[in-house]
Amino acid sequence: MLLTLLLACPPIEDTASESEWANLPDGVEVRFSCDGEAEDYSETSPAFVEETTAWGLDGFTASNMMTVDLDGDGYADLIVNEASGTTRDDPASGIYYHRVLMNRESGGRRVFLDESDESGLLVGEDGALGTGHATYAAADVDLDGDLDLFAGRNYDEGSEDTTGERDAIFLNDGAGHFSRVAASGVGDVLKSTVSASFTHVNADNYPDLWVVSWYSKYGVDYDAGPPKLYEGRGDGTFEDVTSGTAMDLKPTRTADQYLDRDRRRPGYGATACDVDGDGAAELIQSTYARSWNLMFSQSGGEWEEIGESAGIDADDNLDYTDNLWYACYCEAASCDPKPTVDCDGAFPNNYWTPGWDDQPARLAGNTFTTVCGDIDNDGDFDLFHTEIHHKWAGGSGDGSQLLLNDGEGVFERADSEENGLARKQPKTGDWNEGDLEGAFFDYDLDGWKDILLVDSDYEDTHLFVWRNLGDGTFEDVSDATGLNQPWPHGEAVADFDRDGDLDVVTGSSHARGGSPWTENTLHFWENRLGGTSLTISGLAVGTRVDVDASGTTQTFDVSGGYGVTGQQQDTVVVVGLDGNCAVDGIRITPSFGETIDVGP
């Protein structure tokens, strides 16, 4: 039953006090930070300031990262890396592609200290220091109260196994020291793992694992590594339960096979969240190669793939006539329309194949990440696809887009021109949108989740921030927030200093010519706005939280990782209260569990 009591916070000047709460689950803590309304900001006085040096991150490099509290001290730590499937650390030579950076008290403030060697996370399968993993996800897999880790490796069958690493589970001793689980069940077969998400697919209370793979042999054929669902056994071991389900997709060896929906296709992101509100998470594969995204849902105890019917597989633009490769094909084939580009250069006439490139399976997007969260405060979980979109692909190539949930798990693609999420592209010359990662986060604590987008790897790319105006529209505030870093790569969002507002860590890219960075430099962006918020910590992955305040209900999902290279944000829920230091009700719903009303 909905609480009607007013949950009031401590005085504004007392930002660290805690209240007594009835029905609060064991291990869960609730805390107010009451600083009134957030500060004003502008391009000359931005919302975020770079404090990389102060946080001890100078000299560290990364292009991928995730953040959770590894040692249980209440502060979010970082796992960062710039690895591929063929790079392994060589600590004896001072070469590190992976770092475990712990958020510690030092010199009267919080800083990150390098505890990579001590963490145990860099110990390889051969027992030597150094690892080849590049994807991480966290959950309490053995239910002992701390966060354990999945570590994945992108192995290409066409290359030599140079690292000796397979996917693995590492158990936490509670202090941020990890031990590899022998025969965990997740690394029985080498595969091209690029993303993973802990979730719950049954009611046994043990976290399960959803894993997505890339091409099996990149550049050789169309086949991809199979997506995998592993059910947890509560002791750090998992069972592969993919066989015989809708996720057990057929291999894709030929072009004709690739056009069928029940074939493997290269994934980049794994997302798990309950989009239809039935208490069980749907499993999403964000798919590359201008092909369909996949969504798997349970119905009557059986899994089915519903990406098309749910509206998440691709947009409905199948008009390929403005594709520049098609135009150059037409120059040679004497079809319409005539090309408007020089077909002797970047767009040769043999890059377009009738019967293949004009089919729906080739007219979708290059989806890297699918973000899940309640962006419009209507009590269901919406999605945001981040896409690499090239000018040459024309309108049939999907761009990054917000997908709004109708409450039953069917999505409408919001018009980016109407809601303010469209970007103006140059009228002349080439352009590429390189959207790789993203997050929903309420940076100004006004009670509406905003959008952080990592647009990387191409000319004119930078971090984007769109402020949610609460009426279905968004405002580009990248410059005013200060989060307009050029050529970013990777992002981690958390209240790293536990002052009640959300900070951001990013890496840098120099993958292509034109980048201002010479290495994958880390950046710490500290939120200076303050404001009033409620933080809820100690929640298990997959928990749903509803907070009623100021006439609005905000809904959160505690994610177990998502998107390309294993993005994961802090499991602490930060609820912006728009300057009003009170809430009317809190409801906590564990996966497959009963809703708990929490009160003072």
Side-chain angles (χ1 to χ4, degrees), residues 22 24 50 153-154 198 229 236 297 313 355 371 375 377 383 396 405 412 419-420 462 501 504 551 563 569:
L24 200 63
E50 184 166 4
R153 179 197 168 194
N154 182 358
F198 281 108
L229 176 61
S297 183
D313 60 339
V371 184
I375 197 72
N377 287 348
L383 304 175
S396 66
N405 195 334
E412 177 184 355
N419 66 18
H462 60 85
D501 55 29
V504 177
Q569 316 308 341

Side-chain angles (χ1 to χ4, degrees), residues 179-253:
S179 301
R180 183 191 297 261
V181 176
S184 67
V186 303
D188 293 348
V189 178
L190 274 167
K191 54 186 178 297
S192 51
T193 298
V194 288
S195 185
S197 181
F198 281 108
T199 185
H200 291 269
V201 298
N202 54 40
D204 66 5
N205 204 33
Y206 302 134
D208 308 304
L209 185 65
W210 167 235
V211 178
V212 162
S213 295
W214 172 243
Y215 285 107
S216 297
K217 298 179 182 179
Y218 182 63
V220 175
D221 59 28
Y222 301 100
D223 201 26
K228 290 287 187 179
L229 176 61
Y230 299 96
E231 289 188 358
R233 295 293 174 253
D235 58 358
T237 65
F238 289 77
E239 180 183 357
D240 182 353
V241 295
T242 314
S243 180
T245 71
M247 291 160 283
D248 190 11
L249 301 172
K250 300 175 184 177
T252 311
R253 300 299 184 188

Side-chain angles (χ1 to χ4, degrees), residues 24-311:
L24 200 63
D26 290 343
V28 177
E29 296 182 358
V30 178
R31 177 178 178 272
F32 281 94
S33 286
C34 302
D35 289 338
E37 293 185 354
E39 297 288 335
D40 293 332
Y41 60 95
S42 65
E43 291 185 36
T44 57
S45 181
F48 290 83
V49 292
E50 184 166 4
E51 294 288 356
T52 305
T53 300
W55 278 87
L57 292 178
D58 279 344
F60 291 111
T61 56
S63 52
N64 310 313
M65 61 203 66
M66 56 93 76
T67 181
V68 292
D69 180 6
L70 295 173
D71 58 359
D73 68 350
Y75 288 86
D77 308 298
L78 286 168
I79 300 174
V80 304
N81 72 82
E82 50 181 348
S84 67
T86 58
T87 51
R88 177 171 176 165
D89 311 285
D90 183 7
S93 302
I95 298 173
Y96 287 87
Y97 298 101
H98 310 78
R99 298 280 189 174
V100 180
L101 303 174
M102 303 301 292
N103 187 342
R104 303 290 197 202
E105 176 78 21
S106 180
R109 60 156 294 134
R110 305 302 301 189
V111 299
F112 288 103
L113 300 180
D114 184 3
E115 298 188 9
S116 305
D117 292 0
E118 300 91 330
S119 72
L121 194 59
L122 269 62
V123 176
E125 195 167 348
D126 57 4
L129 196 60
T131 182
H133 294 128
T135 294
Y136 296 91
D140 184 6
V141 303
D142 54 1
L143 304 185
D144 65 351
D146 53 40
L147 290 173
D148 310 298
L149 291 167
F150 166 81
R153 179 197 168 194
N154 182 358
Y155 169 70
D156 190 307
E157 294 177 10
S159 64
E160 183 182 357
D161 181 9
T162 56
T163 74
E165 287 297 338
R166 299 170 184 262
D167 293 355
I169 297 291
F170 288 83
L171 294 182
N172 193 342
D173 70 354
H177 304 122
F178 295 88
S179 301
R180 183 191 297 261
V181 176
S184 67
V186 303
D188 293 348
V189 178
L190 274 167
K191 54 186 178 297
S192 51
T193 298
V194 288
S195 185
S197 181
F198 281 108
T199 185
H200 291 269
V201 298
N202 54 40
D204 66 5
N205 204 33
Y206 302 134
D208 308 304
L209 185 65
W210 167 235
V211 178
V212 162
S213 295
W214 172 243
Y215 285 107
S216 297
K217 298 179 182 179
Y218 182 63
V220 175
D221 59 28
Y222 301 100
D223 201 26
K228 290 287 187 179
L229 176 61
Y230 299 96
E231 289 188 358
R233 295 293 174 253
D235 58 358
T237 65
F238 289 77
E239 180 183 357
D240 182 353
V241 295
T242 314
S243 180
T245 71
M247 291 160 283
D248 190 11
L249 301 172
K250 300 175 184 177
T252 311
R253 300 299 184 188
T254 67
D256 287 345
Q257 291 174 345
Y258 190 86
L259 301 180
D260 297 333
R261 284 191 175 267
D262 61 349
R263 296 287 178 167
R264 297 175 190 167
R265 52 198 74 249
Y268 249 140
T271 299
C273 63
D274 178 15
V275 300
D276 60 6
D278 67 353
E282 276 65 49
L283 308 179
I284 299 170
Q285 173 178 301
S286 308
T287 304
Y288 183 71
R290 302 181 63 226
S291 191
W292 295 306
N293 299 313
L294 308 175
M295 178 186 283
F296 299 94
S297 183
Q298 295 187 70
S299 177
E302 299 291 331
W303 289 96
E304 57 181 330
E305 200 283 301
I306 61 168
E308 183 178 19
S309 61

Side-chain angles (χ1 to χ4, degrees), residues 519-531:
E519 53 185 356
N520 302 125
T521 313
L522 273 177
H523 304 266
F524 189 98
W525 302 99
E526 187 169 305
N527 192 332
R528 71 165 193 85
L529 296 182

